[in-house]
Amino acid sequence: MDGLTAIWQGLDWSMLLNMLLSVIPILFCLTIHELAHGAVAYALGDDTAKRAGRLTLNPIRHIDPMGFLMMLVARFGWAKAVPVDMRNFKRPKAGMAITALAGPMSNFLLAALIFLFQIPIVRLLQGDGIGFIVGDLLRLTGMISIFLGVFNLLPIPPLDGSKVLFSLLPDRHYLWLMRYERYGFFLLLLLMFFGMREDGAIRTFMNSAVTWFIEITAGPSAFLFG
């Protein structure tokens, strides 16, 4: 019994609490990202996502279990891909590129809106109780949203950046690459292992992106709330 008590007391409850609190921002950022894909595809003439029930703010419809776990543990991951039939677009390659770009852009827009309120957020973080929790959730949502947007812009299949890059290629090469894009997942795993470490290039770039967002929204935030 003493051994169990020692283990219980030795657990890092603050880390567990932080992971639990990050569930809400992760679900929200992933949902916005996937909803943007489906909504833009629908606006461009493809109703595949709508028929699949993906034009919704219900996060359960968008969760990929492994991708969600990766977001929870490592702050990078993915959601269940929104189904898109590029044959329904008037200009298939351009439509696919715009649809792919919509996800990361929605994350950047969400982060910009959040960090416009950085001064009130800082004030909440300087308090305690529910105010501190709300401020921390908002700050974390902005950071995760940037991480998700940057990560998905990497030009590696099946990430959104690859679909944008492939759209610039001739049709023959485009169709060949789209056919084999699922194999890019293995390359992606290697990149995540080496690049997403604390001192990795991708992690460093993501942290720089957060700093940049905070800096460019500092002026408007001070004007509004200073």
Side-chain angles (χ1 to χ4, degrees):
M1 183 63 70
D2 291 340
L4 290 175
T5 301
I7 293 174
W8 180 268
Q9 293 176 345
L11 291 174
D12 188 351
W13 292 106
S14 63
M15 180 178 178
L16 180 60
L17 179 60
N18 288 335
M19 288 181 63
L20 290 176
L21 286 177
S22 67
V23 169
I24 296 175
I26 289 171
L27 288 177
F28 186 65
C29 293
L30 287 174
T31 299
I32 293 297
H33 182 100
E34 297 303 323
L35 178 58
H37 282 316
V40 168
Y42 183 70
L44 293 175
D46 177 34
D47 66 346
T48 307
K50 179 178 174 61
R51 288 187 284 105
R54 300 295 299 277
L55 297 188
T56 175
L57 285 171
N58 179 3
I60 303 301
R61 303 303 301 268
H62 302 294
I63 289 178
D64 176 276
M66 180 57 69
F68 176 75
L69 180 62
M70 293 298 291
M71 282 290 295
L72 190 63
V73 174
R75 293 293 185 270
F76 68 93
W78 55 89
K80 189 192 311 181
V82 167
V84 176
D85 188 344
M86 61 187 296
R87 294 172 299 181
N88 292 324
F89 298 139
K90 291 182 179 179
R91 299 172 59 194
K93 287 201 304 183
M96 195 68 191
I98 294 171
T99 298
L101 198 58
M105 291 302 103
S106 70
N107 289 127
F108 295 144
L109 178 59
L110 173 61
L113 290 175
I114 289 174
F115 286 125
L116 277 174
F117 291 85
Q118 60 182 272
I119 290 180
I121 290 174
V122 168
R123 291 170 181 165
L124 287 171
L125 291 173
Q126 291 171 345
D128 53 16
I130 189 66
F132 175 84
I133 293 175
V134 170
D136 195 42
L137 285 175
L138 287 171
R139 178 189 60 83
L140 191 56
T141 300
M143 292 178 62
I144 290 175
S145 196
I146 293 173
F147 286 176
L148 187 62
V150 171
F151 179 72
N152 274 277
L153 279 180
L154 295 176
I156 300 173
L159 298 179
D160 299 324
S162 68
K163 295 179 175 62
V164 176
L165 178 63
F166 291 174
S167 69
L168 303 176
L169 300 175
D171 290 348
R172 181 165 58 90
H173 297 125
Y174 178 83
L175 293 174
W176 185 87
L177 286 169
M178 291 294 286
R179 187 179 301 118
Y180 293 100
E181 70 170 351
R182 62 184 178 275
Y183 298 112
F185 184 74
F186 299 105
L187 175 61
L188 186 60
L189 288 177
L190 288 174
L191 183 65
M192 289 190 295
F193 179 78
F194 291 105
M196 292 301 294
R197 294 179 299 183
E198 287 300 324
D199 59 344
I202 299 175
R203 177 79 70 173
T204 301
F205 182 73
M206 287 180 170
N207 290 334
S208 298
V210 172
T211 301
W212 182 75
F213 263 85
I214 292 175
E215 289 177 350
I216 65 171
T217 53
S221 184
F223 176 78
L224 292 172
F225 306 106

